[in-house]
Amino acid sequence: MSYSKFKNEFTYKKFMESNNEVEFDRLFDDAILRLKKNIGSTYPMYISGKAINSDSLLTEYSPIDKNIMIGRFQCGKREHAKMAIDAAKKAFDEWHLVDYKKRVEIFKNFAVLLSTNKFDLAALLSLENGKSRYESIGEVDEAIDFANYYANDVETNKGYIRKNISDNSNIKINAGFQGAPGASEIVNIKLLPVGVFGVIAPFNFPISISSGMSIGAMITGNTVVFKPSSTDNMTMLTGLRIYQLLKESGLPDGVFNFITGPGSEVGDELVVNKDVSGIAFTGSYDTGINMIKKSLNLGLQKNFVVEMGGKNPAIVSKHADIEKAVDGISSAAFGYTGQKCSALSRVYVHSSIKEIFISKLIDKVRTFHIGDPLKKTNYIGPLISENAYIRYVESINKIKRSGSLLYGGNRISTQLNGYYVEPVVAELKNDDELVHNELFLPILAIIEFDDFNKAIEMANNVKYGLTAGLYTKNKNEIKEFSNKIAAGVVYINRATSATTGAVVGLHTFVGWKASGFTGKGSGSKYYLQQFMREQSLSLTK
Ligand code: UN1
């Protein structure tokens, strides 16, 4: 099977290769100017292609500056979720019979539209969730890659339909039994969609993860009720843009329905409603596991395609290239202000190099500019919300009680009305709760070790198992680590990032243990199969 037709978008890389960073920046800066003139409206939900309003609104502000109002969205209720589920159920009747080639064509169109609009989408993303231009364009690229990769996957697998033909036999057998020859059978073995999927998306990747999960569901023939992050951390305008671009791509009405509203109403209805056959979710462990429990307790068997958080470690051995480790670790811990499931939050460093590693790491972190992420030079943007800031302050207080704060811990004052904080490097004991709980903040715990195997044990000794990194030149250590690390996405000696930045088609993004549920990852070969069920259909003429 060849996946050679798939090509990554790699926008920034291409601009750099053609020595044209000036043009890259101009396109992003122009898009920001256009965007600022075009926000602040009131937006409906869309069910079956029709605009639907609720009786109350959710107002979304930019985390960059709370004085920038992004838009007013509908505060959807349970009844709206039910309407959307009904619409998706009706649309399924036709959509699941649409030839896979047509579905592939629609999502290829979607990829083209995402690509044509990439700078506008990246600008909106930065304004909506506070990403830098590099992170934003990378995320839009990831969405384009998901669309192209999954389209290519369905094509390569010929719609996941296999035809088998049994041998002819003229012998007449009176009673059937296992292994008896029969007349010639034509058997179709198909992977088929399950029905309506609820897609519940996170704030931190509202374009790529929202698109990836939704495309996964729809390209395999399911229909979708999509809920962007709508409460504490709102990212509804990117969600709406996804809706609009899917429609422009030729997706029939009702196949993708856009609902905004709180998880306690809209999200909960998707979980408890018997007409929803699957849930694709990316978010916290507590939310994910509670949805699964609730649905099973009601006797509902849904396909859960979930990715749920991490507490990702890296090990820096005494045989490490320290410069490389510092580069990879600082970007994994502090890129997008530590607000990725894949972010690095624990570093196990060999005691013999601890001092030098820490001093080089802090030198590097000092160079990161904090502030408005729309400005090219700022690497660290705002925290997403006040609640995140409260968690930051609480964590700093805990570090001061139980460990030692080596760098950072303060809020930065800017002209902007947002939560800008210093990245934090702290030395902690391995049993500290901050070393075990996911914080979703730019806080990096350093823990020293003497024995390499003990470091792997400590790295594995949390409930999560999403990403992990290692820096060493020692072959035995690479082997030990590869054999023992309990994580889905593992990087060894990677200077760009110790734990973040999976590339569609190159890596797979999969959580083990409390980080996932199915053991299959996105952006790779087994992703789509999670949205389907198998059927063998035998026809004897
Ligand atoms: C997440 O934060 O939910 O590899 C996932 C990465 C991203 C995935 C982040 N593509 O860092």
Side-chain angles (χ1 to χ4, degrees), residues 142 204-205 209 282 307 340-342 440 491 500-502 509:
E142 192 177 32
N204 63 342
F205 284 84
I209 292 185
T282 301
E307 193 248 286
K340 303 182 191 179
C341 302
S342 53
F440 239 63
Y491 303 103
T500 63
F509 197 77

Side-chain angles (χ1 to χ4, degrees), residues 410-432:
N410 301 302
R411 186 167 177 185
I412 299 285
S413 79
T414 60
Q415 307 294 320
L416 304 166
N417 182 10
Y419 295 96
Y420 292 84
V421 296
E422 290 171 329
V424 174
V425 180
E427 192 167 0
L428 292 169
K429 297 242 162 32
N430 193 51
D431 58 5
D432 198 297

Side-chain angles (χ1 to χ4, degrees), residues 235-262:
T235 48
M236 294 179 278
L237 196 49
T238 44
L240 181 60
R241 289 297 288 141
I242 290 171
Y243 170 82
Q244 290 163 338
L245 293 176
L246 281 169
K247 195 174 164 75
E248 225 179 301
S249 308
L251 196 70
D253 286 344
V255 175
F256 183 82
N257 302 280
F258 171 75
I259 298 284
T260 47

Side-chain angles (χ1 to χ4, degrees), residues 199-202 225-231 257 259-263 266-267 270:
V199 175
I200 302 173
V225 176
F226 169 70
K227 184 187 97 61
S229 185
S230 307
T231 34
N257 302 280
I259 298 284
T260 47
V266 172
L270 293 170

Side-chain angles (χ1 to χ4, degrees), residues 94-340:
E94 284 188 25
W95 180 245
H96 84 108
L97 297 174
V98 168
D99 189 81
Y100 78 86
K101 289 181 184 144
K102 178 72 195 164
R103 294 203 296 258
V104 162
E105 188 192 309
I106 291 172
F107 292 102
K108 282 188 177 169
N109 293 343
F110 182 53
V112 170
L113 285 173
L114 287 170
S115 185
T116 318
N117 290 284
K118 66 171 77 161
F119 281 94
D120 287 302
L121 287 166
L124 171 58
L125 175 56
S126 285
L127 194 69
E128 194 162 52
N129 81 358
K131 277 190 179 173
S132 73
R133 63 189 61 196
Y134 308 107
E135 293 277 355
S136 289
I137 207 78
E139 183 179 334
V140 178
D141 282 0
E142 192 177 32
I144 299 166
D145 287 351
F146 279 138
N148 284 323
Y149 186 89
Y150 297 142
N152 184 47
D153 182 275
V154 171
E155 252 178 350
T156 308
N157 288 289
K158 299 190 168 53
Y160 288 96
I161 301 163
R162 286 189 289 142
K163 190 175 266 187
N164 290 337
I165 298 177
S166 73
D167 286 342
N168 269 314
S169 172
N170 298 321
I171 301 168
K172 191 166 172 0
I173 303 282
N174 289 327
F177 53 85
Q178 183 71 37
S184 166
E185 288 181 54
I186 298 168
V187 184
N188 274 318
I189 299 177
K190 295 183 183 173
L191 278 173
L192 295 169
V194 294
V196 177
F197 253 85
V199 175
I200 302 173
F203 78 85
N204 63 342
F205 284 84
I207 294 184
S208 67
I209 292 185
S210 301
S211 300
M213 295 191 296
S214 302
I215 297 164
M218 294 185 290
I219 203 165
T220 49
N222 302 281
T223 54
V224 163
V225 176
F226 169 70
K227 184 187 97 61
S229 185
S230 307
T231 34
D232 192 19
N233 314 313
M234 300 181 180
T235 48
M236 294 179 278
L237 196 49
T238 44
L240 181 60
R241 289 297 288 141
I242 290 171
Y243 170 82
Q244 290 163 338
L245 293 176
L246 281 169
K247 195 174 164 75
E248 225 179 301
S249 308
L251 196 70
D253 286 344
V255 175
F256 183 82
N257 302 280
F258 171 75
I259 298 284
T260 47
S264 55
E265 291 240 352
V266 172
D268 189 65
E269 184 59 32
L270 293 170
V271 173
V272 302
N273 195 303
K274 65 173 177 34
D275 288 332
V276 175
S277 304
I279 301 279
F281 166 79
T282 301
S284 73
Y285 171 78
D286 286 345
T287 308
I289 210 78
N290 284 329
M291 289 194 308
I292 296 170
K293 280 190 207 160
K294 191 163 190 177
S295 155
L296 283 174
N297 280 336
L298 290 167
L300 301 173
Q301 293 172 269
K302 297 182 199 255
N303 281 33
F304 274 97
V305 182
V306 298
E307 193 248 286
M308 308 184 287
K311 189 71 192 177
N312 307 304
I315 297 177
V316 185
S317 132
K318 61 182 174 197
H319 306 293
D321 173 334
I322 296 186
E323 311 294 330
K324 212 185 228 184
V326 164
D327 285 351
I329 283 167
S330 53
S331 83
F334 304 125
Y336 187 43
T337 323
Q339 301 173 113
K340 303 182 191 179

